[in-house]
Amino acid sequence: MKIRIHSFETLGAHDGPGLRTVVFFQGCPIKCLYCHNPDMICTKGGKEYSINEVVEFCEKFRVYHGEDGGITLSGGEPLMQAEGALKLIRALKKEGFHVCIDTSGAVKLSDTVKEVLNEVDIVLFDIKHTDADKYFELTSQPITNMIAMLEYLKTTQKAFYARQVIVPTLTDSIEQVKKFKELAKGAERVELLPYHTLGVNKWQKLGMEYKLKNIPSATQELMKKLNLV
């Protein structure tokens, strides 16, 4: 079986515990206004790899993982290729890797998606916004799939980290952060991630309009204040 992969990162330090090899899946069902990987949205990009090819690549960098690290499936949205992701996870687990998946929860909660969530060690769950209208404004998709997947994680007591990008004027209010932390109850870790503009040039190269071009990066002062909420 082939899976479509955009790229790999060999020393990821912000994608789960420890140092990790990150496998970026091609394709995403949402188009976040602040996406820093717009080149991963299209389902036809990237390159096809066999499950064995990906496992062999990850094996080369196992020495850097130490006791706490492992593999993280990211994207894009790895759950768009749920069947392939499941086969890859099982192959990686068979070789003794610790495996995380980074998801926005924007795909339908199918039986295969549930299997993927059940098999990984930790789910890194991105909550784009807590308000349904604002969520749609940010992602162009309804909030229903995300809520359903989050409830599944809680019901099954799956280990997950809840994460949210703090975008000035969009997700940076104290009220919104309080709602995010309330929604994230049950998470092993709650993370506020500062918005940055490092991906803007990618949008420009792709000929895509970046609608947040006048929004500044989140400051250290803002992040410090919101982390105290």
Side-chain angles (χ1 to χ4, degrees):
M1 181 180 188
K2 299 284 188 178
I3 50 178
R4 190 166 287 276
I5 302 299
H6 176 276
S7 56
F8 300 88
E9 182 180 353
T10 55
L11 292 174
H14 305 286
D15 304 277
L19 287 177
R20 312 188 71 82
T21 298
V22 186
V23 182
F24 291 98
F25 279 60
Q26 185 71 34
C28 187
I30 60 178
K31 188 178 179 181
C32 293
L33 295 183
Y34 55 77
C35 179
H36 61 275
N37 291 323
D39 47 336
M40 298 185 195
I41 296 174
C42 177
T43 57
K44 296 181 180 179
K47 177 183 175 181
E48 287 190 335
Y49 291 83
S50 70
I51 301 298
N52 286 341
E53 285 175 326
V54 178
V55 174
E56 288 172 3
F57 180 90
C58 294
E59 189 65 52
K60 295 177 183 178
F61 299 93
R62 187 196 289 264
V63 65
Y64 299 108
H65 296 165
E67 295 183 0
D68 300 324
I71 312 297
T72 297
L73 311 188
S74 188
E77 173 54 71
L79 290 177
M80 277 193 77
Q81 301 181 61
E83 185 178 347
L86 181 59
K87 289 183 181 298
L88 176 59
I89 292 163
R90 287 175 173 168
L92 290 168
K93 297 290 287 182
K94 185 178 180 180
E95 298 301 319
F97 286 103
H98 181 279
V99 183
C100 294
I101 191 167
D102 189 345
T103 179
S104 66
V107 301
K108 186 177 180 180
L109 191 62
S110 66
D111 288 341
T112 306
V113 167
K114 289 178 180 179
E115 285 189 78
V116 170
L117 299 175
N118 294 341
E119 297 248 0
V120 295
D121 294 287
I122 301 174
V123 178
L124 310 179
F125 198 82
D126 299 315
I127 298 176
K128 304 300 182 182
H129 209 291
T130 56
D131 177 82
D133 292 335
K134 292 294 185 182
Y135 182 95
F136 186 85
E137 180 183 334
L138 274 173
T139 68
S140 75
Q141 296 292 330
I143 200 171
T144 48
N145 284 341
M146 186 274 285
I147 294 296
M149 193 176 295
L150 180 59
E151 288 304 312
Y152 179 78
L153 295 177
K154 293 179 179 180
T155 300
T156 58
Q157 297 185 319
K158 186 65 188 182
F160 74 99
Y161 295 175
R163 317 169 100 187
Q164 184 169 83
V165 177
I166 298 301
V167 185
T169 75
L170 293 177
T171 58
D172 65 334
S173 71
I174 290 177
E175 179 184 9
Q176 197 284 142
V177 172
K178 284 183 177 179
K179 289 180 178 179
F180 160 67
K181 292 186 175 181
E182 179 67 26
L183 193 61
K185 279 187 176 179
E188 288 194 358
R189 184 179 300 178
V190 175
E191 300 176 335
L192 300 180
L193 310 176
Y195 164 74
H196 59 74
T197 58
L198 298 178
V200 176
N201 65 320
K202 293 183 181 180
W203 286 71
Q204 295 170 341
K205 289 180 180 179
L206 292 169
M208 299 165 63
E209 179 187 5
Y210 191 73
K211 295 182 179 180
L212 303 184
K213 58 186 176 183
N214 295 320
I215 301 295
S217 298
T219 64
Q220 291 183 354
E221 290 76 16
L222 172 63
M223 299 306 299
K224 183 177 180 180
K225 179 181 75 172
L226 295 180
N227 273 306
L228 293 174
V229 171

